[in-house]
Amino acid sequence: MLFLCVVAAIISILPLFYIFFYTTKSGISSLNWDFFTQMPKPVGESGGGMANGIVGTLILVSLGSFIGIPVGVMAGIYVTEYSGGLFSNLVKFVTDVLSGVPSIIIGIFAYGVIVIPMQGFSTLAGSFALGVLMVPTITRITEEMLKLVPQSLREASLALGVSRWKTTLQIVLRTASGGIITGILLAIARAAGETAPLLFTAFGNRFWSTDLNQPIASLPVQIFNYAISPFDDWHKQAWAGALVLITLVFIVNLIVRIVTRDKFANKV
Amino acid sequence: MAPEIKSKKKWSDIFFEKLTLIFACSIILIVAWIIIEMFQDSIDAREAFGWKFIFSNEWDPVKEKFGALPFIFGTVVSSILALLISLPISIGVAVFLNEIVNRAFRTPLSFLIEILAAIPSIIYGFWGIFVLAPFMRGTVQPLLQSTLGFLPFFKGTPYGTGLLTAAIILAIMITPIITAITRDVLKAIPTAQREAAYALGATKWEAIKMALLNARSGILGASVLGLGRAIGETMAVTMVIGNRAEISSSLFEPAYTMASVIANEFAEASGNLHVSALIEVGLILFAVTFIINSFARLLIYSFTRKTEGK
């Protein structure tokens, strides 16, 4: 039986290596300077890049962070620092439930709340969806990291006459900031790879767009459209995009691991 | 968690506390808002079809006839199949990481498994189309057909894409989450219990078996949570399941899931009724994942509280 556990461990890791290997093999040849700086070429012309998708993802994720980070961090502070009762348990529970809501549902939500009233797919709707998706991850991580700050530190600060909110912000939050920032990075990496909620909010765009009321390209949606297209050139481009995403995810996760060690492993 | 320290509260303290409270409430508000929004936006479909929506298997946007049964079928079958594949592997990995392997290997290995959870779903789908589906078509499905072909599940043409392929991708995607929670649950079992088992002459495997038995409600919670993930997974499934709204007993046949029909048709939906029907599919999906997640979380909470209280 113990032998079977070893087999299970090997089986579970195999797909990871295979995906890494295959993505690298298929994507590396198209991954060059053009990929990051050029616009997509029309069908039939080879070359070109996904510059609009990369910039689009950056814009979407940064705008999303304006929702995800404040809501996530502040709610995390409330749960650990100000309430230990039934209400904070309710907040924790709802946060967990929200983290389990399929991302495509968040897309429908953003569609109903922003796309319909504004009568069109837009950057704003896409960022809103990504922002909401980031909230539960950030809240949980903030909570876990704040819990690790020793109680004596809070007491020491309060004993020196520092007010409660300053203690929370300048002592507690600062002590935990390393972990929280890496947690935010994790949420950002996850949001950057999201496709489903962007299909009918940000929608995608073949051209440059920085207008918040217009559809905008994003790397994952571009990968999706290219992947299901029948053109070999586009497949190659999509693999290059996939390689960029997978590298991003790997690096961010590695940083998180190194900075936080085992502190909150498995808690996300 | 911070104990109440009695002091005169300044207005700034009260302000900051209320501010964090507002943000905390906003999470509850968002979830409530999602429910209300989806409920409102699916009114047209609910009025037009009523409960028939769930039990009808006709999905024809041209004739404006909408029934969600094929999607519910595809979602349920692919997710449960994924869980069946993933659960033994996940438990095995959790036991391996917790009880067998030494620290030097544990950290990199658990890191690698975490990365599996972080890979964007679109990449799984892309890999599924170009690597897994051809492999299924060329190797796995003919093999299943020649050995177990008498069963209705393995009849039909091996296309490569279809329910079985989707289930395998889902299994890969949910293994990390089930593993992680099973590990937490196993960690919560007191070492004293294991020592007692050893003292009574149990072998290593017998001690682990006892821990697993004691942890069963927590492991159930972990699997239900994994099931919830599988049900809501969109892009990877959309890319390999074949997207055909039919119900077939064969696992080789293309199928459709609730999440993938929304992904495929939402942006191009023509007519209000079509959009409304898709949102109702979303509402069903939301309700199912909501119930499943709440159930799983409560199981896991109560398990950890019980063992911590011992």
Side-chain angles (χ1 to χ4, degrees), chain A residues 1 9 12-13 18 71 74 78 80 82 96-97 100 105 111-112 151 158 164-165 195 200 224 235 238-239 242 254 257, chain B residues 1 3 5 12-13 16 19-21 23 26 37 107 111 114 116 122-123 126 130-131 205 266 282 290 293 297 301:
Chain A
M1 283 313 274
S12 69
I13 294 294
Y18 200 7
V71 176
M74 291 296 264
Y78 179 77
T80 30
Y82 289 107
D96 279 342
V97 169
I105 301 288
Y111 180 87
Q151 200 54 45
L158 292 171
R164 183 83 188 263
W165 72 277
T195 318
F200 35 83
F224 176 60
H235 292 162
W239 280 117
L254 201 62
R257 256 289 154 133
Chain B
M1 108 164 229
I5 296 159
S12 53
D13 276 344
F16 186 71
L19 192 68
T20 60
L21 176 66
F23 280 104
S26 74
E37 187 68 40
T107 317
F111 171 69
E114 266 171 48
L116 267 182
I122 180 94
I123 293 178
F126 199 8
F130 284 92
V131 181
W205 167 243
F266 203 88
F290 190 93
N293 279 314
R297 290 292 177 187
Y301 289 156

Short mmCIF file of all heavy atoms in Angstrom, two decimals, chain A residues 1 9 12-13 18 71 74 78 80 82 96-97 100 105 111-112 151 158 164-165 195 200 224 235 238-239 242 254 257, chain B residues 1 3 5 12-13 16 19-21 23 26 37 107 111 114 116 122-123 126 130-131 205 266 282 290 293 297 301:
data_model
loop_
_atom_site.label_atom_id
_atom_site.label_comp_id
_atom_site.label_asym_id
_atom_site.label_seq_id
_atom_site.Cartn_x
_atom_site.Cartn_y
_atom_site.Cartn_z
N MET A 1 0.83 -1.21 0.00
CA MET A 1 0.00 0.00 0.00
C MET A 1 0.86 1.26 0.00
O MET A 1 0.58 2.23 -0.67
CB MET A 1 -0.92 0.04 1.23
CG MET A 1 -2.13 -0.88 1.14
SD MET A 1 -3.03 -0.77 -0.41
CE MET A 1 -4.13 0.60 -0.11
N ALA A 9 2.09 9.69 -6.01
CA ALA A 9 2.86 10.94 -6.03
C ALA A 9 3.49 11.15 -7.41
O ALA A 9 3.46 12.27 -7.94
CB ALA A 9 3.94 10.90 -4.95
N SER A 12 0.80 12.10 -9.98
CA SER A 12 0.26 13.45 -9.84
C SER A 12 1.22 14.51 -10.37
O SER A 12 0.80 15.58 -10.79
CB SER A 12 -0.09 13.73 -8.38
OG SER A 12 1.10 13.80 -7.63
N ILE A 13 2.51 14.21 -10.35
CA ILE A 13 3.50 15.19 -10.79
C ILE A 13 3.75 15.12 -12.30
O ILE A 13 4.07 16.11 -12.94
CB ILE A 13 4.84 14.98 -10.02
CG1 ILE A 13 4.65 15.29 -8.55
CG2 ILE A 13 5.94 15.84 -10.58
CD1 ILE A 13 4.35 16.74 -8.28
N TYR A 18 5.05 17.18 -18.00
CA TYR A 18 4.69 17.05 -19.40
C TYR A 18 4.20 18.40 -19.96
O TYR A 18 4.60 18.83 -21.04
CB TYR A 18 3.62 15.96 -19.56
CG TYR A 18 3.53 15.42 -20.95
CD1 TYR A 18 4.45 15.80 -21.93
CD2 TYR A 18 2.54 14.53 -21.31
CE1 TYR A 18 4.37 15.30 -23.20
CE2 TYR A 18 2.44 14.02 -22.59
CZ TYR A 18 3.36 14.42 -23.54
OH TYR A 18 3.29 13.94 -24.81
N VAL A 71 -10.17 45.84 -0.74
CA VAL A 71 -11.23 45.05 -0.13
C VAL A 71 -10.64 43.84 0.59
O VAL A 71 -10.95 43.56 1.74
CB VAL A 71 -12.27 44.59 -1.19
CG1 VAL A 71 -13.31 43.68 -0.56
CG2 VAL A 71 -12.95 45.78 -1.82
N MET A 74 -8.35 44.97 3.76
CA MET A 74 -9.12 45.56 4.84
C MET A 74 -10.04 44.52 5.49
O MET A 74 -10.18 44.48 6.71
CB MET A 74 -9.94 46.75 4.33
CG MET A 74 -9.09 47.94 3.93
SD MET A 74 -8.20 48.66 5.31
CE MET A 74 -9.33 49.97 5.76
N TYR A 78 -10.06 43.30 9.35
CA TYR A 78 -11.25 43.27 10.21
C TYR A 78 -11.39 41.91 10.88
O TYR A 78 -11.59 41.82 12.10
CB TYR A 78 -12.52 43.60 9.41
CG TYR A 78 -13.74 43.54 10.27
CD1 TYR A 78 -14.05 44.59 11.14
CD2 TYR A 78 -14.56 42.41 10.30
CE1 TYR A 78 -15.13 44.53 11.99
CE2 TYR A 78 -15.65 42.34 11.13
CZ TYR A 78 -15.93 43.40 11.98
OH TYR A 78 -17.00 43.32 12.82
N THR A 80 -9.23 39.55 11.55
CA THR A 80 -8.26 39.16 12.58
C THR A 80 -8.15 40.15 13.72
O THR A 80 -7.97 39.76 14.86
CB THR A 80 -6.83 39.00 12.00
OG1 THR A 80 -6.70 39.89 10.91
CG2 THR A 80 -6.58 37.59 11.55
N TYR A 82 -10.27 42.95 14.60
CA TYR A 82 -11.38 43.64 15.26
C TYR A 82 -12.53 42.75 15.66
O TYR A 82 -13.44 43.18 16.35
CB TYR A 82 -11.90 44.76 14.37
CG TYR A 82 -10.92 45.90 14.30
CD1 TYR A 82 -10.18 46.14 13.17
CD2 TYR A 82 -10.72 46.70 15.42
CE1 TYR A 82 -9.25 47.15 13.12
CE2 TYR A 82 -9.78 47.72 15.38
CZ TYR A 82 -9.06 47.95 14.23
OH TYR A 82 -8.14 48.95 14.21
N ASP A 96 -14.81 32.18 1.85
CA ASP A 96 -14.52 30.84 1.34
C ASP A 96 -15.50 30.46 0.23
O ASP A 96 -15.11 29.88 -0.78
CB ASP A 96 -14.61 29.81 2.46
CG ASP A 96 -13.35 29.78 3.30
OD1 ASP A 96 -12.33 30.30 2.80
OD2 ASP A 96 -13.38 29.27 4.42
N VAL A 97 -16.76 30.80 0.43
CA VAL A 97 -17.76 30.48 -0.58
C VAL A 97 -17.45 31.25 -1.87
O VAL A 97 -17.48 30.70 -2.97
CB VAL A 97 -19.19 30.80 -0.08
CG1 VAL A 97 -20.17 30.74 -1.22
CG2 VAL A 97 -19.59 29.82 1.00
N GLY A 100 -14.95 29.82 -4.01
CA GLY A 100 -15.37 28.63 -4.73
C GLY A 100 -16.33 28.91 -5.86
O GLY A 100 -16.68 28.01 -6.61
N ILE A 105 -19.07 32.56 -13.50
CA ILE A 105 -20.22 33.19 -12.84
C ILE A 105 -19.90 34.66 -12.55
O ILE A 105 -20.73 35.55 -12.71
CB ILE A 105 -20.57 32.46 -11.53
CG1 ILE A 105 -20.89 30.99 -11.80
CG2 ILE A 105 -21.71 33.14 -10.79
CD1 ILE A 105 -22.18 30.74 -12.46
N TYR A 111 -21.06 41.13 -16.35
CA TYR A 111 -21.85 41.42 -17.55
C TYR A 111 -23.15 42.13 -17.15
O TYR A 111 -23.51 43.16 -17.72
CB TYR A 111 -22.16 40.11 -18.28
CG TYR A 111 -22.98 40.26 -19.53
CD1 TYR A 111 -22.38 40.51 -20.75
CD2 TYR A 111 -24.37 40.13 -19.49
CE1 TYR A 111 -23.12 40.65 -21.90
CE2 TYR A 111 -25.14 40.26 -20.63
CZ TYR A 111 -24.50 40.51 -21.84
OH TYR A 111 -25.25 40.65 -22.98
N GLY A 112 -23.82 41.57 -16.15
CA GLY A 112 -25.10 42.15 -15.71
C GLY A 112 -24.92 43.53 -15.08
O GLY A 112 -25.74 44.42 -15.26
N GLN A 151 1.17 38.35 19.46
CA GLN A 151 0.29 39.21 20.24
C GLN A 151 1.10 40.25 21.03
O GLN A 151 0.66 41.39 21.18
CB GLN A 151 -0.51 38.32 21.19
CG GLN A 151 -1.77 38.94 21.71
CD GLN A 151 -2.67 39.43 20.61
OE1 GLN A 151 -2.88 38.75 19.60
NE2 GLN A 151 -3.19 40.63 20.76
N LEU A 158 0.72 49.18 21.91
CA LEU A 158 -0.37 49.84 22.62
C LEU A 158 0.13 50.40 23.96
O LEU A 158 -0.29 51.48 24.38
CB LEU A 158 -1.53 48.88 22.83
CG LEU A 158 -2.28 48.45 21.57
CD1 LEU A 158 -3.26 47.34 21.87
CD2 LEU A 158 -3.00 49.64 20.95
N ARG A 164 -4.75 52.38 18.47
CA ARG A 164 -5.04 51.05 17.94
C ARG A 164 -4.87 50.99 16.42
O ARG A 164 -4.26 50.08 15.89
CB ARG A 164 -6.49 50.72 18.35
CG ARG A 164 -6.96 49.34 17.96
CD ARG A 164 -6.52 48.31 18.97
NE ARG A 164 -6.81 46.96 18.49
CZ ARG A 164 -7.89 46.28 18.83
NH1 ARG A 164 -8.77 46.80 19.65
NH2 ARG A 164 -8.10 45.07 18.35
N TRP A 165 -5.40 51.98 15.72
CA TRP A 165 -5.36 51.90 14.26
C TRP A 165 -3.94 52.07 13.73
O TRP A 165 -3.56 51.45 12.75
CB TRP A 165 -6.33 52.91 13.63
CG TRP A 165 -5.92 54.35 13.73
CD1 TRP A 165 -6.13 55.18 14.78
CD2 TRP A 165 -5.27 55.13 12.72
NE1 TRP A 165 -5.64 56.42 14.51
CE2 TRP A 165 -5.11 56.43 13.25
CE3 TRP A 165 -4.81 54.86 11.42
CZ2 TRP A 165 -4.49 57.45 12.53
CZ3 TRP A 165 -4.21 55.88 10.71
CH2 TRP A 165 -4.06 57.16 11.26
N THR A 195 -9.45 33.36 -18.01
CA THR A 195 -9.99 33.54 -19.34
C THR A 195 -11.50 33.68 -19.32
O THR A 195 -12.06 34.63 -19.88
CB THR A 195 -9.65 32.33 -20.23
OG1 THR A 195 -8.31 31.96 -19.98
CG2 THR A 195 -9.82 32.66 -21.69
N PHE A 200 -16.82 37.57 -22.03
CA PHE A 200 -17.95 38.44 -22.32
C PHE A 200 -17.95 39.68 -21.44
O PHE A 200 -18.98 40.25 -21.14
CB PHE A 200 -19.28 37.70 -22.23
CG PHE A 200 -19.32 36.67 -21.17
CD1 PHE A 200 -19.60 37.01 -19.86
CD2 PHE A 200 -19.07 35.34 -21.48
CE1 PHE A 200 -19.63 36.05 -18.88
CE2 PHE A 200 -19.11 34.37 -20.49
CZ PHE A 200 -19.39 34.73 -19.20
N PHE A 224 -6.70 31.61 -26.15
CA PHE A 224 -7.89 30.78 -26.42
C PHE A 224 -8.31 30.88 -27.88
O PHE A 224 -8.48 29.87 -28.57
CB PHE A 224 -9.03 31.20 -25.50
CG PHE A 224 -10.32 30.47 -25.74
CD1 PHE A 224 -10.39 29.09 -25.61
CD2 PHE A 224 -11.47 31.17 -26.10
CE1 PHE A 224 -11.58 28.41 -25.84
CE2 PHE A 224 -12.66 30.50 -26.33
CZ PHE A 224 -12.71 29.12 -26.20
N HIS A 235 -1.29 28.86 -33.73
CA HIS A 235 -1.01 27.91 -32.66
C HIS A 235 0.35 28.20 -32.03
O HIS A 235 0.50 28.20 -30.81
CB HIS A 235 -1.01 26.47 -33.20
CG HIS A 235 -2.37 26.00 -33.61
ND1 HIS A 235 -2.57 24.92 -34.43
CD2 HIS A 235 -3.61 26.49 -33.33
CE1 HIS A 235 -3.87 24.75 -34.62
NE2 HIS A 235 -4.51 25.70 -33.97
N ALA A 238 0.14 31.07 -29.84
CA ALA A 238 -0.58 30.74 -28.61
C ALA A 238 0.32 29.99 -27.64
O ALA A 238 0.28 30.22 -26.43
CB ALA A 238 -1.83 29.91 -28.93
N TRP A 239 1.15 29.08 -28.18
CA TRP A 239 2.08 28.36 -27.29
C TRP A 239 3.06 29.33 -26.65
O TRP A 239 3.41 29.17 -25.47
CB TRP A 239 2.83 27.27 -28.06
CG TRP A 239 2.04 26.02 -28.26
CD1 TRP A 239 1.64 25.49 -29.45
CD2 TRP A 239 1.50 25.16 -27.24
NE1 TRP A 239 0.90 24.36 -29.24
CE2 TRP A 239 0.81 24.12 -27.90
CE3 TRP A 239 1.55 25.17 -25.85
CZ2 TRP A 239 0.16 23.10 -27.20
CZ3 TRP A 239 0.91 24.14 -25.16
CH2 TRP A 239 0.23 23.14 -25.83
N ALA A 242 1.27 30.88 -23.90
CA ALA A 242 1.13 29.94 -22.80
C ALA A 242 2.42 29.85 -22.01
O ALA A 242 2.42 29.78 -20.78
CB ALA A 242 0.72 28.57 -23.32
N LEU A 254 7.17 30.62 -6.86
CA LEU A 254 8.48 30.38 -6.26
C LEU A 254 8.81 31.49 -5.26
O LEU A 254 9.25 31.23 -4.14
CB LEU A 254 9.54 30.32 -7.36
CG LEU A 254 10.83 29.60 -7.01
CD1 LEU A 254 10.57 28.14 -6.68
CD2 LEU A 254 11.83 29.71 -8.14
N ARG A 257 6.77 31.08 -2.18
CA ARG A 257 7.30 29.98 -1.38
C ARG A 257 8.52 30.41 -0.58
O ARG A 257 8.65 30.13 0.60
CB ARG A 257 7.71 28.83 -2.31
CG ARG A 257 6.74 27.69 -2.30
CD ARG A 257 6.82 26.96 -0.99
NE ARG A 257 5.59 26.30 -0.70
CZ ARG A 257 5.52 25.04 -0.30
NH1 ARG A 257 6.60 24.33 -0.17
NH2 ARG A 257 4.36 24.52 0.00
N MET B 1 -9.25 37.89 17.11
CA MET B 1 -8.24 37.16 17.86
C MET B 1 -7.56 38.06 18.88
O MET B 1 -7.17 37.60 19.94
CB MET B 1 -7.25 36.53 16.87
CG MET B 1 -5.88 37.13 16.80
SD MET B 1 -4.80 35.98 15.95
CE MET B 1 -3.43 35.93 17.05
N PRO B 3 -7.16 40.25 21.92
CA PRO B 3 -8.02 40.43 23.09
C PRO B 3 -8.39 41.90 23.24
O PRO B 3 -7.63 42.78 22.84
CB PRO B 3 -7.14 39.96 24.24
CG PRO B 3 -5.75 40.09 23.75
CD PRO B 3 -5.78 39.95 22.27
N ILE B 5 -8.51 45.28 24.56
CA ILE B 5 -7.71 46.05 25.52
C ILE B 5 -8.49 47.32 25.83
O ILE B 5 -8.79 48.10 24.93
CB ILE B 5 -6.31 46.37 24.96
CG1 ILE B 5 -5.56 45.06 24.75
CG2 ILE B 5 -5.54 47.28 25.90
CD1 ILE B 5 -4.43 45.15 23.78
N SER B 12 -10.48 58.31 15.82
CA SER B 12 -9.75 57.73 14.69
C SER B 12 -9.77 56.21 14.75
O SER B 12 -9.84 55.53 13.73
CB SER B 12 -8.32 58.25 14.67
OG SER B 12 -7.73 58.03 15.93
N ASP B 13 -9.71 55.67 15.98
CA ASP B 13 -9.78 54.23 16.13
C ASP B 13 -11.12 53.70 15.67
O ASP B 13 -11.21 52.69 14.97
CB ASP B 13 -9.57 53.83 17.60
CG ASP B 13 -8.09 53.74 17.92
OD1 ASP B 13 -7.30 53.68 16.96
OD2 ASP B 13 -7.75 53.73 19.11
N PHE B 16 -11.37 53.85 11.91
CA PHE B 16 -10.64 52.80 11.21
C PHE B 16 -11.33 51.44 11.33
O PHE B 16 -11.44 50.68 10.37
CB PHE B 16 -9.20 52.69 11.75
CG PHE B 16 -8.34 51.73 10.98
CD1 PHE B 16 -7.91 52.05 9.71
CD2 PHE B 16 -7.99 50.51 11.52
CE1 PHE B 16 -7.13 51.17 8.98
CE2 PHE B 16 -7.20 49.62 10.80
CZ PHE B 16 -6.77 49.95 9.53
N LEU B 19 -14.23 51.38 9.12
CA LEU B 19 -13.78 51.30 7.72
C LEU B 19 -13.50 49.85 7.33
O LEU B 19 -13.96 49.36 6.29
CB LEU B 19 -12.53 52.16 7.54
CG LEU B 19 -12.10 52.42 6.09
CD1 LEU B 19 -13.12 53.31 5.40
CD2 LEU B 19 -10.73 53.08 6.06
N THR B 20 -12.77 49.15 8.22
CA THR B 20 -12.50 47.74 7.89
C THR B 20 -13.80 46.94 7.88
O THR B 20 -13.97 46.03 7.06
CB THR B 20 -11.52 47.10 8.90
OG1 THR B 20 -12.08 47.17 10.19
CG2 THR B 20 -10.17 47.77 8.86
N LEU B 21 -14.72 47.32 8.77
CA LEU B 21 -16.01 46.63 8.81
C LEU B 21 -16.74 46.78 7.48
O LEU B 21 -17.31 45.82 6.95
CB LEU B 21 -16.87 47.18 9.96
CG LEU B 21 -18.28 46.62 10.06
CD1 LEU B 21 -18.25 45.15 10.43
CD2 LEU B 21 -19.10 47.39 11.10
N PHE B 23 -15.46 47.21 4.53
CA PHE B 23 -14.85 46.34 3.52
C PHE B 23 -15.23 44.88 3.75
O PHE B 23 -15.47 44.14 2.79
CB PHE B 23 -13.33 46.51 3.51
CG PHE B 23 -12.89 47.73 2.75
CD1 PHE B 23 -12.47 48.87 3.42
CD2 PHE B 23 -12.92 47.75 1.38
CE1 PHE B 23 -12.08 50.00 2.73
CE2 PHE B 23 -12.52 48.88 0.67
CZ PHE B 23 -12.10 50.01 1.36
N SER B 26 -18.55 44.35 2.53
CA SER B 26 -18.66 44.41 1.07
C SER B 26 -18.51 43.03 0.43
O SER B 26 -19.07 42.76 -0.63
CB SER B 26 -17.65 45.40 0.49
OG SER B 26 -16.37 44.85 0.55
N GLU B 37 -28.48 39.62 -8.89
CA GLU B 37 -28.28 39.95 -10.29
C GLU B 37 -28.65 38.79 -11.20
O GLU B 37 -29.38 38.94 -12.18
CB GLU B 37 -26.81 40.34 -10.49
CG GLU B 37 -26.47 40.88 -11.86
CD GLU B 37 -27.09 42.24 -12.13
OE1 GLU B 37 -27.13 43.07 -11.21
OE2 GLU B 37 -27.56 42.45 -13.27
N THR B 107 9.19 19.47 0.80
CA THR B 107 8.99 20.86 0.39
C THR B 107 8.94 21.03 -1.12
O THR B 107 7.97 21.58 -1.63
CB THR B 107 10.07 21.75 1.02
OG1 THR B 107 10.24 21.34 2.37
CG2 THR B 107 9.69 23.19 0.97
N PHE B 111 5.53 21.84 -3.32
CA PHE B 111 5.57 23.04 -4.17
C PHE B 111 5.12 22.70 -5.59
O PHE B 111 4.30 23.41 -6.18
CB PHE B 111 6.98 23.62 -4.18
CG PHE B 111 7.17 24.72 -5.19
CD1 PHE B 111 6.55 25.95 -5.02
CD2 PHE B 111 7.97 24.53 -6.32
CE1 PHE B 111 6.72 26.96 -5.95
CE2 PHE B 111 8.13 25.53 -7.25
CZ PHE B 111 7.51 26.75 -7.08
N GLU B 114 1.47 22.26 -5.74
CA GLU B 114 0.78 23.56 -5.68
C GLU B 114 0.79 24.27 -7.04
O GLU B 114 -0.18 24.92 -7.41
CB GLU B 114 1.47 24.47 -4.67
CG GLU B 114 0.85 24.42 -3.30
CD GLU B 114 1.70 25.15 -2.31
OE1 GLU B 114 2.10 26.29 -2.61
OE2 GLU B 114 2.00 24.59 -1.24
N LEU B 116 0.64 22.94 -9.86
CA LEU B 116 -0.42 22.34 -10.68
C LEU B 116 -1.73 23.09 -10.52
O LEU B 116 -2.49 23.24 -11.46
CB LEU B 116 -0.63 20.88 -10.26
CG LEU B 116 0.11 19.78 -10.97
CD1 LEU B 116 -0.31 18.44 -10.41
CD2 LEU B 116 -0.17 19.81 -12.47
N ILE B 122 -6.70 27.72 -19.10
CA ILE B 122 -6.58 27.80 -20.56
C ILE B 122 -5.40 26.95 -21.05
O ILE B 122 -5.45 26.34 -22.12
CB ILE B 122 -6.41 29.28 -20.99
CG1 ILE B 122 -6.28 29.42 -22.49
CG2 ILE B 122 -5.22 29.95 -20.37
CD1 ILE B 122 -7.56 29.70 -23.14
N ILE B 123 -4.34 26.87 -20.24
CA ILE B 123 -3.17 26.09 -20.65
C ILE B 123 -3.48 24.59 -20.58
O ILE B 123 -3.09 23.83 -21.45
CB ILE B 123 -1.94 26.47 -19.80
CG1 ILE B 123 -1.55 27.91 -20.13
CG2 ILE B 123 -0.77 25.53 -20.04
CD1 ILE B 123 -0.41 28.46 -19.35
N PHE B 126 -5.47 23.90 -23.72
CA PHE B 126 -4.62 23.94 -24.89
C PHE B 126 -3.80 22.65 -24.99
O PHE B 126 -3.74 21.98 -26.03
CB PHE B 126 -3.69 25.15 -24.76
CG PHE B 126 -3.05 25.62 -26.03
CD1 PHE B 126 -3.42 25.10 -27.26
CD2 PHE B 126 -2.08 26.62 -26.00
CE1 PHE B 126 -2.82 25.55 -28.42
CE2 PHE B 126 -1.49 27.06 -27.14
CZ PHE B 126 -1.85 26.52 -28.36
N PHE B 130 -3.99 19.42 -27.85
CA PHE B 130 -2.87 19.02 -28.70
C PHE B 130 -2.10 17.80 -28.20
O PHE B 130 -1.40 17.17 -28.98
CB PHE B 130 -1.89 20.20 -28.88
CG PHE B 130 -2.42 21.21 -29.83
CD1 PHE B 130 -3.16 22.29 -29.39
CD2 PHE B 130 -2.23 21.05 -31.19
CE1 PHE B 130 -3.68 23.21 -30.28
CE2 PHE B 130 -2.74 21.97 -32.08
CZ PHE B 130 -3.47 23.04 -31.63
N VAL B 131 -2.21 17.47 -26.94
CA VAL B 131 -1.46 16.33 -26.43
C VAL B 131 -2.38 15.23 -25.90
O VAL B 131 -2.32 14.09 -26.35
CB VAL B 131 -0.49 16.76 -25.31
CG1 VAL B 131 0.30 15.56 -24.81
CG2 VAL B 131 0.45 17.84 -25.81
N TRP B 205 1.63 0.95 7.97
CA TRP B 205 0.43 1.07 7.16
C TRP B 205 -0.82 1.00 8.01
O TRP B 205 -1.79 1.73 7.78
CB TRP B 205 0.41 -0.01 6.06
CG TRP B 205 -0.92 -0.12 5.42
CD1 TRP B 205 -1.75 -1.19 5.43
CD2 TRP B 205 -1.61 0.90 4.69
NE1 TRP B 205 -2.90 -0.92 4.76
CE2 TRP B 205 -2.85 0.36 4.30
CE3 TRP B 205 -1.30 2.23 4.35
CZ2 TRP B 205 -3.79 1.09 3.57
CZ3 TRP B 205 -2.24 2.97 3.63
CH2 TRP B 205 -3.46 2.39 3.24
N PHE B 266 -22.31 32.80 -24.76
CA PHE B 266 -22.78 34.03 -24.11
C PHE B 266 -22.51 35.27 -24.94
O PHE B 266 -23.40 36.09 -25.17
CB PHE B 266 -22.14 34.16 -22.73
CG PHE B 266 -22.93 35.02 -21.80
CD1 PHE B 266 -23.93 34.48 -21.02
CD2 PHE B 266 -22.67 36.37 -21.71
CE1 PHE B 266 -24.68 35.28 -20.17
CE2 PHE B 266 -23.41 37.18 -20.85
CZ PHE B 266 -24.42 36.63 -20.08
N GLY B 282 -26.30 29.54 -15.67
CA GLY B 282 -25.33 30.05 -14.70
C GLY B 282 -25.86 30.02 -13.28
O GLY B 282 -25.14 29.68 -12.34
N PHE B 290 -22.50 26.63 -4.86
CA PHE B 290 -22.71 27.28 -3.56
C PHE B 290 -23.03 26.23 -2.49
O PHE B 290 -22.41 26.19 -1.43
CB PHE B 290 -23.85 28.30 -3.67
CG PHE B 290 -24.01 29.18 -2.48
CD1 PHE B 290 -23.38 30.42 -2.44
CD2 PHE B 290 -24.78 28.80 -1.39
CE1 PHE B 290 -23.52 31.25 -1.34
CE2 PHE B 290 -24.91 29.61 -0.28
CZ PHE B 290 -24.28 30.84 -0.26
N ASN B 293 -19.98 23.87 -1.94
CA ASN B 293 -18.89 24.51 -1.21
C ASN B 293 -19.24 24.73 0.25
O ASN B 293 -18.41 24.51 1.13
CB ASN B 293 -18.53 25.85 -1.84
CG ASN B 293 -17.63 25.65 -3.04
OD1 ASN B 293 -16.68 24.90 -2.97
ND2 ASN B 293 -17.94 26.31 -4.13
N ARG B 297 -17.11 23.15 3.25
CA ARG B 297 -16.46 24.00 4.25
C ARG B 297 -16.92 23.64 5.65
O ARG B 297 -16.13 23.56 6.59
CB ARG B 297 -16.75 25.48 3.97
CG ARG B 297 -16.07 26.01 2.73
CD ARG B 297 -14.58 26.08 2.90
NE ARG B 297 -13.95 26.54 1.66
CZ ARG B 297 -12.64 26.57 1.47
NH1 ARG B 297 -11.82 26.17 2.40
NH2 ARG B 297 -12.15 26.99 0.33
N TYR B 301 -14.55 22.57 8.60
CA TYR B 301 -14.53 23.36 9.84
C TYR B 301 -14.81 22.46 11.04
O TYR B 301 -14.09 22.47 12.03
CB TYR B 301 -15.60 24.45 9.85
CG TYR B 301 -15.37 25.62 8.91
CD1 TYR B 301 -16.45 26.38 8.46
CD2 TYR B 301 -14.09 25.99 8.52
CE1 TYR B 301 -16.28 27.45 7.61
CE2 TYR B 301 -13.91 27.06 7.67
CZ TYR B 301 -15.00 27.79 7.22
OH TYR B 301 -14.82 28.84 6.38
#
